């Protein structure tokens, strides 16, 4: 799964969570949405696939973009086995960096986003360093009654106007210098809220959200996720505090939230703010907080399970065994390409990736991926070229060249290694290997394959999967009767050896008859 596929599937998940959030934000525990955002993050960051019958991607076959698909060796007809493919540079030593314009734009976007977060956090951190520790009986007593494995420090600063938390190993609760230290009720609410952030390691969650945003900066729905997930972190903390102090404290806690409303316009990423982040939504959620019931827990579980199953899984790929005749397959840069012939002798191609299965006829496949025009080296031609290339390489000793690893100077040792590689190719050609001289008139790449590993697409063949899991290919044979005789003989031998029962043998022979 490539970056665009991860971003697309992640965007679908984000859209689903956004809609569900709008409908059920006050009907289920707020942790429900943190779990859903976590699943969306996994979809964006990890290239995995969990096939499911209930996946939304099973409802349609999405055409796979052909941009960036490897058409050099993977699209040769008949399809070459992946382990026999060989694509190497031609007339060059080492691989030359070849970064496309979209990749350059993406990298620049990642760097700019990361730079923005880094600068914003560094600016905030410099302000945090100017804070002073708080030493009074109320704070000391609160710290003693709320012990944690990590030492928590409470500090104050005139540069912040609302409470926030920063730091992972040594967490710090930073309060405004204007805090009313005698108002214990308000202070306890604020400290309880920040303590929830610390215990849940919400700062790490915010870091992961920022990383995902930097990687998928081009996806507007990832920006939506970043905003909403940060809101839900605050909503979940608010809900936890209300549960600790009791539902009768909702009004008082809402007033505390309003009184702590952030007034400065600064941006403090990777910190947990007790701020005016969607203040109306938070107050509404606080006032609608109710006791957790069995119904709300069941609803939350159904939402998580249903959303994950439908939007975070991929389409269940079509079984190869459902094809009536044998097939050939090869791996491409985006997935698996399978070619097969149906009962009528028509050739079809099936492209599979982690999410979809896309079937094409031979005509459609040829239109999408025209067969390359390949001119193959002969032994004499390559030997003549190599004799000239040896002289050219010897004359380059001491000269500068460039590869993807940077600048280098040609040495005798490097020239000898290069000539040795070319001589090995010459021997391969003599032994029967095929190497392209040009592909569609271009010499940028060389396509190579060994003809003995390429099965003929003509004749009569049958591919079956035995009950013990073994895969067996019969053929190709020139006539159907030869195929039938080979299959029948094989089945009879297996029955005699006790490796196959009569019912399985009859089923395999019947496939041959149908074929």
């Amino acid at each position: 799964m490539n970056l665009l596929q991860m971003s697309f599937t992640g965007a679908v998940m984000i859209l689903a969570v956004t809609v569900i959030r709008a409908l059920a934000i006050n009907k289920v525990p707020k942790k429900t949405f943190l779990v859903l955002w976590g699943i969306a993050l996994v979809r964006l960051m990890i290239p995995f696939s969990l096939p499911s019958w209930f996946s939304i991607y099973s409802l349609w076959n999405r055409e796979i973009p052909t941009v960036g698909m490897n058409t050099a060796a993977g699209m040769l007809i008949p399809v070459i086995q992946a382990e026999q493919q060989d694509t190497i540079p031609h007339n060059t030593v080492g691989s030359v960096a070849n970064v496309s314009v979209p990749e350059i734009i993406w990298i620049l976007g990642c760097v700019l986003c990361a730079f923005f977060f880094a600068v914003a956090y560094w600016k905030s951190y410099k302000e945090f360093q100017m804070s002073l520790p708080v030493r009074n009986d109320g704070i000391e007593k609160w710290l003693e009654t709320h012990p944690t494995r990590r030492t928590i420090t409470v500090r104050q600063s005139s540069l912040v106007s609302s409470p926030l938390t920063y730091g992972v190993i040594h967490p710090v609760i930073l309060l405004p210098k204007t805090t009313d230290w005698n108002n214990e009720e308000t202070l306890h609410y604020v400290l309880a809220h920040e303590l929830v952030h610390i215990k849940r390691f919400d700062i790490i969650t915010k870091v992961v959200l920022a990383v995902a945003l930097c990687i998928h900066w081009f996806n507007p729905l990832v920006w939506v996720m970043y905003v909403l997930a940060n809101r839900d972190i605050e909503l979940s903390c608010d809900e936890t505090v209300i549960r600790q102090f009791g539902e009768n404290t909702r009004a008082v806690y809402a007033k505390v939230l309003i009184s702590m409303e952030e007034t400065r316009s600064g941006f403090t990423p990777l910190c947990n703010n007790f701020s005016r982040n969607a203040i109306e939504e938070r107050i509404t959620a606080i006032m609608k907080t109710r006791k957790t019931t069995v119904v709300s827990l069941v609803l939350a579980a159904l939402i998580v399970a249903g959303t994950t199953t439908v939007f975070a899984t991929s389409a269940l790929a079509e079984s190869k065994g459902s094809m009536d005749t044998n097939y050939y397959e090869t791996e491409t840069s985006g997935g698996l390409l399978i070619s097969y012939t149906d009962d009528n002798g028509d050739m079809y191609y099936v492209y599979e990736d982690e999410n979809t299965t896309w079937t094409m006829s031979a005509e459609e496949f040829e239109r999408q991926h025209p067969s390359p025009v390949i001119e193959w080296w002969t032994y004499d031609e390559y030997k003549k070229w190599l004799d000239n290339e040896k002289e050219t390489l010897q004359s380059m000793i001491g000269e500068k060249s460039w590869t993807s690893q940077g600048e280098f100077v040609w040495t005798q040792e490097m020239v000898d290694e290069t000539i040795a590689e070319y001589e090995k190719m010459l021997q391969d050609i003599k032994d029967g290997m095929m190497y392209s001289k040009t592909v569609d008139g271009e010499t940028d790449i060389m396509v190579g394959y060994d003809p003995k590993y390429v099965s003929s697409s003509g004749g009569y063949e049958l591919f079956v999967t035995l009950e013990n899991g073994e895969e067996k290919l019969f053929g190709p044979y020139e006539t159907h009767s030869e195929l039938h005789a080979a299959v029948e003989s094989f089945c009879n031998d297996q029955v005699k050896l006790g490796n196959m029962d009569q019912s399985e043998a009859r089923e395999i022979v019947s496939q041959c008859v149908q074929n």
Side-chain angles (χ1 to χ4, degrees):
M1 181 180 290
N2 58 37
L3 180 67
L4 288 177
Q5 290 172 328
M6 292 165 60
S7 195
F8 173 79
T9 55
V12 173
M13 180 70 181
I14 294 169
L15 185 60
V17 176
T18 302
V19 173
I20 294 171
R21 182 184 185 277
L23 297 175
I25 186 66
N26 296 314
K27 296 180 176 62
V28 294
K30 303 301 184 293
K31 286 184 180 179
T32 305
F33 302 102
L34 296 184
V35 173
L36 291 175
W37 292 128
I39 296 171
L41 278 173
V42 171
R43 207 73 177 98
L44 288 167
M45 304 292 286
I46 303 177
F48 74 102
S49 176
L50 293 176
S52 169
W53 285 107
F54 304 100
S55 172
I56 190 174
Y57 304 106
S58 296
L59 300 179
W60 79 90
N61 286 331
R62 177 172 55 87
E63 182 172 328
I64 307 300
T66 60
V67 177
M69 183 178 292
N70 180 6
T71 59
M75 298 304 169
L76 290 176
I77 304 175
V79 182
I80 301 171
Q81 294 295 331
E83 62 269 17
Q84 303 303 330
Q85 295 178 20
D86 185 21
T87 302
I88 61 175
H90 180 60
N91 291 356
T92 60
V93 178
S95 57
V96 180
N98 184 21
V99 182
S100 64
V101 174
E103 289 174 333
I104 294 174
I105 295 174
W106 172 71
I107 293 172
L108 289 175
C110 293
V111 172
L112 288 175
C113 281
F115 179 76
F116 169 75
F117 278 103
V119 170
Y121 181 76
W122 177 253
K123 181 181 178 182
S124 300
Y125 183 75
K126 296 296 287 185
E127 294 178 355
F128 301 158
Q129 292 295 97
M130 299 176 66
S131 62
L132 300 173
V134 177
R135 295 187 177 90
N136 60 55
D137 293 339
I139 295 297
E140 295 294 335
K141 182 178 180 181
W142 184 86
L143 290 173
E144 290 178 3
T145 56
H146 295 82
T148 59
R149 291 186 178 182
R150 293 171 292 161
T151 302
I152 299 176
T153 304
V154 180
R155 303 177 68 90
Q156 60 180 337
S157 173
S158 59
L159 300 177
V160 299
S161 57
S162 66
L164 59 84
T165 301
Y166 67 92
V168 177
I169 299 176
H170 302 291
V172 175
I173 298 176
L174 186 61
L175 302 176
K177 195 172 184 179
T178 56
T179 300
D180 185 357
W181 306 107
N182 296 320
N183 190 339
E184 293 187 1
E185 183 181 43
T186 298
L187 199 58
H188 284 179
Y189 284 132
V190 172
L191 294 175
H193 180 97
E194 301 303 331
L195 182 61
V196 174
H197 280 308
I198 293 172
K199 288 183 175 181
R200 292 183 180 178
F201 292 90
D202 285 338
I203 291 178
I204 295 179
T205 303
K206 289 174 177 283
V207 171
V208 176
L209 285 168
V211 171
L213 185 62
C214 291
I215 295 174
H216 298 271
W217 60 267
F218 55 87
N219 190 334
L221 285 174
V222 177
W223 291 84
V224 172
M225 180 192 71
Y226 180 81
V227 173
L228 295 182
N230 275 282
R231 288 187 184 182
D232 288 336
I233 289 173
E234 298 299 325
L235 292 177
S236 180
C237 285
D238 291 338
E239 184 180 60
T240 301
V241 173
I242 295 298
R243 303 250 190 259
Q244 290 177 358
F245 287 90
E247 291 185 25
N248 57 343
T249 62
R250 289 176 299 175
V252 177
Y253 184 74
K255 290 180 181 178
V256 170
L257 184 64
I258 295 173
S259 67
M260 291 293 176
E261 182 178 316
E262 187 178 31
T263 56
R264 72 187 183 96
S265 59
F267 177 60
T268 53
L270 314 184
C271 302
N272 296 307
N273 296 71
F274 191 103
S275 67
R276 62 181 302 173
N277 182 18
I279 191 71
E280 292 183 5
E281 182 182 49
R282 290 183 66 183
I283 292 176
T284 301
I286 289 170
M287 299 309 296
K288 290 186 176 182
T289 299
R290 297 289 186 271
K291 289 183 179 180
T292 302
T293 63
V294 175
V295 174
S296 64
L297 290 176
V298 171
L299 180 59
L302 290 175
I303 288 175
V304 172
T307 305
T308 303
T309 302
V310 175
F311 297 100
T313 58
S314 57
L316 198 64
E318 181 182 353
S319 173
K320 300 182 185 73
S322 64
M323 300 176 186
D324 293 329
T325 57
N326 36 270
Y327 66 92
Y328 304 96
E329 67 179 43
T330 187
E331 294 179 0
T332 70
S333 59
L336 185 68
L337 180 67
I338 301 170
S339 64
Y340 70 97
T341 307
D342 66 7
D343 293 338
N344 299 321
D346 296 326
M347 178 73 77
Y348 287 92
Y349 294 86
V350 179
Y351 186 88
E352 294 182 1
D353 66 1
E354 291 84 350
N355 301 310
T356 60
T357 300
W358 177 33
T359 303
M360 297 174 287
S361 66
E363 293 77 13
E364 292 172 330
F365 182 85
E366 182 64 25
R367 286 196 297 269
Q368 293 288 337
H369 310 288
S371 300
V373 178
I374 301 177
E375 181 183 1
W376 302 100
W377 282 108
T378 65
Y379 177 82
D380 292 335
E381 288 176 337
Y382 193 84
K383 186 177 184 303
K384 182 179 179 180
W385 172 84
L386 180 54
D387 291 338
N388 294 329
E389 188 70 7
K390 289 179 180 179
E391 296 180 5
T392 302
L393 288 170
Q394 291 292 346
S395 67
M396 293 175 62
I397 295 176
E399 294 184 4
K400 293 182 179 179
S401 283
W402 294 264
T403 67
S404 57
Q405 285 74 39
E407 183 182 272
F408 71 94
V409 178
W410 282 97
T411 64
Q412 184 64 55
E413 182 181 0
M414 296 174 65
V415 169
D416 292 341
E417 290 177 355
T418 304
I419 293 175
E421 291 180 8
Y422 287 151
E423 287 180 338
K424 182 180 180 301
M425 288 179 56
L426 180 63
Q427 183 61 43
D428 288 342
I429 295 174
K430 186 177 181 179
D431 293 338
M433 280 289 292
M434 300 291 292
Y435 286 106
S436 64
K437 187 176 183 180
T438 62
V439 179
D440 289 332
E442 300 293 333
T443 59
D444 294 338
I445 61 173
M446 177 178 284
V447 176
Y449 78 97
D450 193 334
K452 67 175 176 286
Y453 290 107
V454 181
S455 301
S456 172
S457 59
Y460 293 87
E461 301 174 330
L462 178 67
F463 177 88
V464 295
T465 302
L466 306 181
E467 290 184 356
N468 62 6
E470 180 184 352
E471 296 178 340
K472 181 69 176 176
L473 174 64
F474 298 91
Y477 296 97
E478 293 184 1
T479 65
H480 185 273
S481 60
E482 290 178 343
L483 172 63
H484 183 273
V487 173
E488 190 172 33
S489 175
F490 171 80
C491 291
N492 290 336
D493 291 342
Q494 293 300 308
V495 171
K496 291 177 182 179
L497 293 172
N499 298 331
M500 183 185 299
D501 55 33
Q502 287 290 350
S503 60
E504 183 181 0
R506 284 195 297 270
E507 182 181 351
I508 294 174
V509 173
S510 67
Q511 292 183 37
C512 181
V513 173
Q514 294 172 4
N515 188 37

